[in-house]
Amino acid sequence: MGTIVTPIGEGIAYYNDLYVWAKSFDDDPDDPDFDALSYLEGDPDIIRCNGKKLYFMSIVLKGKRYVLTHDEVDSTEREMLTQFFEEDFRQYFETLPGVEQPTSENQ
């Protein structure tokens, strides 16, 4: 499965799958008052990158994973989120001290 990391407003405007997804909530991405960032309100996922929190959400549509972020995502954040969703993601990230590593028994 491919992973596409995109700012949420840009992604909804560019990718038809995301446009249709937004329409499924009775939202109109073509309306000038449409606020794509409102989808990140509530309980988004959070990852720390370079000392700051990065809010995002992940959805799978038609076999593609879309990772939707705030409107300004830099190349480091984009790479980090892409790696996070790869099968071998543990090779890119360190486990914090005192945090138990997942095993096949506790996943």
Side-chain angles (χ1 to χ4, degrees), residues 90 100-107:
R90 287 188 185 102
E100 183 180 336
Q101 279 277 38
T103 63
S104 59
E105 290 106 37
N106 66 8
Q107 283 186 336

Side-chain angles (χ1 to χ4, degrees), residues 5-100:
V5 178
T6 182
I8 191 164
E10 213 176 278
I12 289 172
Y14 184 77
Y15 296 101
N16 189 58
D17 290 342
L18 291 176
Y19 181 88
V20 171
W21 172 75
K23 295 280 276 186
S24 74
F25 296 109
D26 291 326
D27 290 332
D28 183 2
D30 296 320
D31 185 331
D33 293 329
F34 174 70
D35 180 16
L37 288 174
S38 68
Y39 292 118
L40 293 175
E41 293 175 0
D43 191 20
D45 293 313
I46 303 169
I47 197 168
R48 288 193 185 273
C49 181
N50 293 331
K52 64 181 182 179
K53 291 181 182 177
L54 174 61
Y55 296 90
F56 69 96
M57 63 186 292
S58 170
I59 59 170
V60 176
L61 301 169
K62 296 183 180 177
K64 291 182 193 159
R65 177 179 306 281
Y66 292 92
V67 181
L68 308 172
T69 67
H70 55 79
D71 279 338
E72 297 192 16
V73 60
D74 65 29
S75 61
T76 302
E77 294 167 336
R78 186 180 307 272
E79 180 181 356
M80 183 178 202
L81 284 167
T82 301
Q83 292 170 345
F84 184 73
F85 286 100
E86 290 181 8
E87 285 187 35
D88 60 346
F89 74 95
R90 287 188 185 102
Q91 79 177 11
Y92 302 107
F93 300 95
E94 296 176 17
T95 303
L96 294 173
V99 175
E100 183 180 336

